[in-house]
Amino acid sequence: MREKINLFFQNHFVVTLHTVKVPFWIYKHYEAINTYSLGNYKTLVKDMVYSNAMIKYLDNHQNKKDAINENLGRELLELFTLGEGHYTEADIKNTALALAGLTFGDEKGVYRNATRVTTTKTVFGKTGIFNIDDVIDVIFEQANTPYFLAEKVLKWFFYDTPPKELIEKYGKLLKDVHFELKPFFQALFTEECKQSTGGNQIKNPLCYLLQVHHDLSLTPNYTFLVFLLKNQGMDIYDQPNVKGWKGGHDWMTTQLYTERNQFIDFVIDGNVQFEKTANRRLEKFNVDSVHYDPKLTISNKTNAQAIINELCDRMIFSTNPEMLASLGELLKYDFDPKAENANQAILRVYQYLAKSPEFQIV
């Protein structure tokens, strides 16, 4: 769960290796997220702004008193804290002035006195000789800051379109706990994960692939996993733009759904052509042949119906008569769990369910 929270923040505070080009800075960016993702959100925002990776990605090393660059200031307000429509152009300009002179340091960003702006700035009605820490303190006094984060978290974990009442509920909670993230996430997961019905959110490619690996006890070939994620549009630390992965229906185009089904078929049945194509693309990375040996653990193998019920309960939230009829054909009522091909027959049930539209939904 901690890593899923980290992944959310990595997509919230987007930087890409393609642009940054310094792996150590990317590592420090992730290290900061891992340190503060269950700490205080204001502290995390401040650490992100001082990240060398963020400074490079949003060009703040070019932001100097005689040549103001507004990129980081704008995204700090629009994408990291308040959301569009909750600030003015003047707020952006003065935030950028407070960021002028903040450039690369050894471990994190530092101000250079020769290029910073030491005059007064006014943001959200407050005036002072602000640096960016002071501006962030003012931002966190604004009404929409907790609700903006609450909405993005709900979108990432539960709902492509979060209900307004839930945004208000969890935004108020975040405000009441003074932006402490641990009690916020604890309440969110306790309440929303106990729902007895499925949500309406499409699984992102990483969650989908890791679930299959976990269910079938697959030993990951990490290079191949990265290859699959890139094909599914989720190259880690290489989002398409500063807004990050959009998610929702972007994760379920016809092509992506087909590729997911091809992967399941490859894992269960093997596919010589699929394996050759993958190995050819991965040849330059000097990895072993892509091959899987799926093993599915079933707690109750007494009869076909018990197996079907267990897998349905584990993998999807609801069934329908057509699905149950198809499963009954795959694993007939007189199924013998001790037969030689019994495990492969059970894998066929998993294969069918994993390719169903219901399995793609959280």
Side-chain angles (χ1 to χ4, degrees):
M1 185 62 73
R2 178 67 171 271
E3 291 299 336
K4 291 184 77 172
I5 293 171
N6 289 351
L7 184 63
F8 162 76
F9 281 121
Q10 190 265 312
N11 193 54
H12 183 61
F13 299 106
V14 170
V15 299
T16 67
L17 181 58
H18 176 76
T19 298
V20 174
K21 301 184 189 305
V22 183
F24 178 68
W25 290 356
I26 295 292
Y27 163 73
K28 294 298 290 184
H29 179 270
Y30 182 80
E31 184 182 56
I33 288 173
N34 189 54
T35 300
Y36 297 113
S37 62
L38 289 180
N40 187 274
Y41 183 55
K42 187 198 294 187
T43 304
L44 176 57
V45 170
K46 289 182 177 181
D47 221 81
M48 289 290 97
V49 168
Y50 278 89
S51 160
N52 282 329
M54 186 66 73
I55 291 169
K56 176 65 183 295
Y57 182 67
L58 290 176
D59 304 315
N60 206 72
H61 58 295
Q62 300 174 8
N63 184 13
K64 303 172 183 179
K65 64 181 181 181
D66 296 324
I68 299 300
N69 184 302
E70 296 182 356
N71 287 359
L72 180 53
R74 182 178 298 277
E75 305 311 348
L76 171 61
L77 300 180
E78 180 178 333
L79 298 180
F80 302 163
T81 56
L82 283 168
E84 196 171 355
H86 295 275
Y87 53 85
T88 66
E89 285 298 315
D91 293 324
I92 293 173
K93 292 180 185 299
N94 282 274
T95 299
L97 290 175
L99 282 162
L102 180 62
T103 188
F104 312 128
D106 291 338
E107 293 285 320
K108 59 191 293 186
V110 295
Y111 275 100
R112 305 292 185 204
N113 288 331
T115 56
R116 70 188 303 175
V117 175
T118 56
T119 55
T120 60
K121 301 101 180 170
T122 300
V123 288
F124 301 103
K126 292 199 171 185
T127 301
I129 305 175
F130 295 149
N131 65 16
I132 195 57
D133 299 77
D134 303 317
V135 171
I136 291 172
D137 288 340
V138 176
I139 290 171
F140 272 75
E141 296 172 358
Q142 305 311 301
N144 200 55
T145 307
Y147 300 96
F148 177 71
L149 183 66
E151 181 175 7
K152 288 195 73 171
V153 170
L154 285 164
K155 281 185 176 180
W156 181 264
F157 287 101
F158 295 104
Y159 309 95
D160 286 338
T161 306
K164 184 177 180 180
E165 60 270 20
L166 290 183
I167 297 171
E168 292 177 351
K169 172 183 176 179
Y170 291 110
K172 182 178 184 302
L173 170 64
L174 188 60
K175 181 180 179 180
D176 290 345
V177 298
H178 308 289
F179 294 94
E180 290 296 326
L181 293 168
K182 186 172 182 178
F184 166 72
F185 280 117
Q186 189 170 26
L188 179 81
F189 295 137
T190 300
E191 291 296 317
E192 300 308 311
C193 289
K194 72 182 182 182
Q195 305 296 332
S196 59
T197 57
N200 61 1
Q201 185 192 57
I202 298 168
K203 292 173 185 170
N204 68 57
L206 183 58
C207 287
Y208 170 85
L209 289 167
L210 291 183
Q211 181 176 353
V212 173
H213 276 72
H214 179 267
D215 287 348
L216 300 178
S217 301
L218 303 179
T219 301
N221 180 318
Y222 290 106
T223 305
F224 185 51
L225 188 57
V226 170
F227 165 76
L228 293 170
L229 284 170
K230 290 181 73 169
N231 276 4
Q232 290 270 303
M234 197 179 185
D235 194 1
I236 306 300
Y237 268 106
D238 193 17
Q239 288 93 328
N241 55 57
V242 69
K243 293 184 178 181
W245 300 301
K246 185 178 178 181
H249 291 283
D250 281 15
W251 295 139
M252 197 42 58
T253 65
T254 301
Q255 179 183 347
L256 296 186
Y257 185 40
T258 300
E259 288 178 357
R260 290 188 182 193
N261 291 343
Q262 288 175 341
F263 172 68
I264 292 295
D265 289 342
F266 173 60
V267 170
I268 302 296
D269 297 328
N271 182 306
V272 175
Q273 187 57 45
F274 185 92
E275 186 169 354
K276 282 182 178 179
T277 301
N279 287 334
R280 185 170 62 252
R281 293 188 181 183
L282 299 174
E283 185 177 7
K284 64 180 179 180
F285 297 106
N286 194 28
V287 296
D288 295 332
S289 176
V290 178
H291 179 74
Y292 292 109
D293 181 22
K295 296 180 178 64
L296 186 59
T297 301
I298 301 293
S299 61
N300 184 0
K301 289 186 178 181
T302 53
N303 58 64
Q305 194 57 53
I307 294 168
I308 290 172
N309 289 344
E310 181 172 336
L311 286 176
C312 286
D313 289 344
R314 184 191 305 179
M315 297 174 66
I316 60 177
F317 284 99
S318 62
T319 58
N320 55 60
E322 181 182 356
M323 179 183 290
L324 293 175
S326 297
L327 292 172
E329 289 297 316
L330 288 171
L331 215 62
K332 297 186 180 297
Y333 71 94
D334 58 350
F335 168 75
D336 181 4
K338 296 181 181 179
E340 184 177 353
N341 64 345
N343 288 333
Q344 191 62 29
I346 295 172
L347 283 171
R348 297 267 182 236
V349 176
Y350 183 93
Q351 182 180 21
Y352 175 88
L353 291 172
K355 293 168 71 174
S356 68
E358 290 80 2
F359 185 70
Q360 319 306 318
I361 302 295
V362 174

